[in-house]
Amino acid sequence: MAEKVLVLGGKGMLGQELTDLFVHDPNYEVTSWDREDIDVTDFSLLREKLTEIHPNIIFNCVAYNAVDLAEENDEEYAKALLLNRDVPGELATIANDLGATLIHFSSDYVFDGTIEEKKSGGGCGNSSCCGGNCHGGGEKGYGEEAFPNPTSRYAESKAAGEEQVVMNAKKYYLVRLSKLFGKPGISEAAKRSFFDVMLEAGKNKPEVQVVDSEKSCFTYAPDLAMAVKDLIEDGDQYGIYHLPNTGAVTWYEAVQELYRQAGLTTTITPVTPEAFPRPAKRPVFSALINTKRPPLRRYEVALAEYLSDKQ
């Protein structure tokens, strides 16, 4: 019998990839909802509709991600808490009652980014950052067991959502990612990825300024969707997983690679974060270390696929 899958936020960048992936697998019966199908903040309606379809697997791709608005505006911060904290908590409770598995997505922003990068040697020996098990050639980063320490309101809302899932769900996969990119979502609320924005800028401007900071890993939406499907089907232990693509880079380094692959000759000027003042503090270094699952391919390879799909 086919397992019932529910994707919430099904028209977003990640939600559409998950929907497409599971729809084409005859072992699953898929329901994909976006904001026109369900108001996830109406908890009585949410419970009623989920109970009606009784899914085996629930993907929560709904999130508030206006990082700077949440920092500046109390009403926006309240929205962030509602979508990033309260909704995951309610979904965890409903999933428990239905015996369903909840897959919830979080962010590298839950970390403060104050650890120092280490490019050589073995493990870092610091369980607070990577559990003493650094990835690859000893590059330092945050492992799955690292303790969140959010430094912005948005990050606080995401960390609070993680806590709600861990406290209230028995069967859950909490998946952290960073710098998501891929085919733009078709939802009205969907944001364009950094690469979408910079590709357009590179085609229309002779020069772009890019922050040479905030080093972390990019995550290609199709790769993440497949990695999560494999995680579920392999029946790995419930808990926290880090599933970005391999290769930590700054925004500037990523644009260098993007323009190189796209054949653009636009001048790229590295600048400090002070060149583009933003209300919310970002982690300076927040590479996510995957210690539990097979590593995803390097982001440069995924980027080549992303560019080929645009041609």
Side-chain angles (χ1 to χ4, degrees):
M1 181 181 296
E3 285 202 284
K4 293 183 178 180
V5 169
L6 171 64
V7 181
L8 296 172
K11 290 185 177 179
M13 187 180 296
L14 178 58
Q16 66 186 2
E17 297 295 344
L18 286 164
T19 299
D20 184 67
L21 185 62
F22 280 90
V23 159
H24 288 90
D25 189 325
N27 293 311
Y28 298 95
E29 177 185 326
V30 180
T31 300
S32 185
W33 288 339
D34 211 274
R35 55 175 51 198
E36 65 270 22
D37 305 300
I38 179 73
D39 177 2
V40 295
T41 66
D42 183 339
F43 291 165
S44 60
L45 177 63
L46 183 65
R47 175 174 288 274
E48 177 184 333
K49 294 195 71 169
L50 265 64
T51 301
E52 182 180 328
I53 67 171
H54 210 290
N56 304 106
I57 301 168
I58 302 170
F59 287 99
N60 179 29
C61 301
V62 175
Y64 178 98
N65 55 18
V67 179
D68 291 316
L69 278 178
E71 197 70 22
E72 291 183 302
N73 186 293
D74 289 344
E75 290 184 6
E76 291 295 320
Y77 181 45
K79 291 179 184 177
L81 290 174
L82 178 60
L83 288 173
N84 294 345
R85 179 193 65 189
D86 300 342
V87 168
E90 185 65 20
L91 285 172
T93 301
I94 295 173
N96 268 356
D97 294 342
L98 299 178
T101 297
L102 174 65
I103 297 89
H104 175 68
F105 297 93
S106 192
S107 166
D108 63 318
Y109 277 26
V110 300
F111 301 115
D112 58 23
T114 58
I115 62 172
E116 296 179 358
E117 186 181 8
K118 182 179 180 181
K119 294 184 178 178
S120 61
C124 68
N126 183 353
S127 62
S128 68
C129 76
C130 65
N133 184 10
C134 289
H135 182 65
E139 184 174 332
K140 204 170 181 180
Y142 290 94
E144 294 87 352
E145 305 307 319
F147 298 107
N149 185 31
T151 58
S152 70
R153 282 177 153 188
Y154 162 78
E156 288 170 1
S157 73
K158 294 299 289 184
E162 292 188 1
E163 292 176 359
Q164 287 295 309
V165 169
V166 172
M167 285 192 303
N168 295 306
K170 294 178 181 177
K171 299 163 62 177
Y172 71 89
Y173 294 110
L174 197 166
V175 179
R176 293 191 184 115
L177 59 132
S178 55
K179 296 181 177 177
L180 187 70
F181 73 102
K183 182 172 64 177
I186 57 176
S187 168
E188 290 182 1
K191 291 174 63 177
R192 291 195 301 166
S193 73
F194 173 73
F195 285 134
D196 286 328
V197 173
M198 296 310 301
L199 194 59
E200 180 179 331
K203 292 177 179 178
N204 294 294
K205 297 180 180 181
E207 178 185 2
V208 296
Q209 293 183 331
V210 187
V211 173
D212 192 16
S213 181
E214 298 169 33
K215 191 168 190 175
S216 64
C217 305
F218 280 84
T219 310
Y220 187 44
D223 287 356
L224 176 58
M226 180 60 74
V228 172
K229 186 172 185 284
D230 289 342
L231 170 63
I232 295 168
E233 293 179 344
D234 289 347
D236 277 25
Q237 182 178 358
Y238 295 120
I240 299 173
Y241 289 82
H242 288 177
L243 294 175
N245 287 86
T246 306
V249 289
T250 67
W251 298 112
Y252 169 71
E253 291 167 338
V255 173
Q256 285 184 305
E257 180 64 22
L258 173 68
Y259 288 2
R260 184 190 69 79
Q261 291 197 25
L264 296 175
T265 58
T266 308
T267 299
I268 314 167
T269 303
V271 296
T272 65
E274 289 71 28
F276 300 105
R278 292 169 295 178
K281 184 178 180 180
R282 269 73 167 174
V284 174
F285 179 74
S286 57
L288 297 175
I289 304 299
N290 170 6
T291 69
K292 297 182 177 181
R293 295 289 299 170
L296 277 65
R297 59 182 171 172
R298 288 197 60 86
Y299 92 93
E300 296 97 332
V301 180
L303 182 59
E305 181 176 301
Y306 155 85
L307 288 171
S308 68
D309 288 343
K310 286 185 167 295
Q311 296 176 351

